[in-house]
């Protein structure tokens, strides 16, 4: 049975999120076949669960950079953001390509409702950074 983690959407950001094609069914899915898939409207990132090396919770994003789909300014990471409160940063052993970066991303941050559940499912070791 697949497990789906919905995004925690701050409705104040809907005018920013809707042009990305965000839908109610978007989020992160861990499939029985061993696949991790994150969708955000027109964007999708998928990789085998075996490619995930860890996950940790991060908090306190800047409100003006948090919402939407964006590449990191500091590294090759990608964010699927729906709020500025908290998310799970997921690290990959091998970079995962997207339409924004064909050479791939070494990490993805997703702002899901069940932070601890997703982090635990991916990493198994509860940890949090700010």
């Amino acid at each position: 049975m697949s497990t789906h983690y919905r995004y925690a959407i701050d409705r104040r950001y809907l005018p920013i999120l809707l042009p990305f094609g965000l839908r109610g069914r978007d989020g992160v899915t861990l499939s029985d076949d061993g696949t991790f898939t994150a969708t955000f409207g027109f964007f999708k990132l998928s990789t085998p669960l075996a490619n995930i090396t860890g996950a940790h919770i991060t908090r306190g994003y800047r409100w003006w950079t948090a919402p939407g789909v964006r590449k990191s300014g500091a590294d090759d990471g990608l964010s699927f953001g729906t709020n500025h409160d908290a998310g799970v940063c997921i690290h990959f052993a091998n970079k995962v390509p997207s339409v924004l970066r064909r050479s791939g991303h070494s990490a993805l941050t997703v702002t899901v409702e069940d932070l601890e559940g997703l982090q635990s499912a991916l990493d198994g070791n509860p940890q949090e950074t700010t």
Side-chain angles (χ1 to χ4, degrees):
M1 178 182 246
S2 296
T3 306
H4 184 73
Y5 298 87
R6 296 171 34 141
Y7 289 118
I9 299 172
D10 184 332
R11 295 198 175 279
R12 294 176 291 182
Y13 292 137
L14 284 177
I16 297 168
L17 300 175
L18 293 178
F20 288 100
L22 185 69
R23 303 160 300 207
R25 66 179 181 264
D26 284 326
V28 174
T29 302
L30 309 181
S31 299
D32 292 340
D33 67 359
T35 303
F36 167 94
T37 303
T39 60
F40 194 103
F42 306 118
F43 299 88
K44 178 179 179 180
L45 194 101
S46 189
T47 191
L49 284 168
N51 190 37
I52 295 173
T53 60
H56 63 276
I57 297 170
T58 58
R59 297 186 185 276
Y61 311 132
R62 293 181 303 253
W63 67 267
W64 61 91
T65 62
V69 175
R70 66 178 174 82
K71 296 187 297 182
S72 169
D75 58 21
D76 62 6
L78 180 66
S79 292
F80 289 174
T82 58
N83 68 70
H84 67 267
D85 298 319
V88 177
C89 182
I90 303 152
H91 301 273
F92 307 119
N94 298 305
K95 292 182 179 184
V96 180
S98 78
V99 296
L100 295 180
R101 187 178 174 101
R102 290 202 184 287
S103 61
H105 305 278
S106 60
L108 171 69
T109 299
V110 291
T111 55
V112 295
E113 291 175 345
D114 184 3
L115 299 168
E116 292 81 9
L118 178 59
Q119 188 274 321
S120 179
L122 296 175
D123 191 52
N125 301 314
Q127 58 182 341
E128 187 170 323
T129 61
T130 54

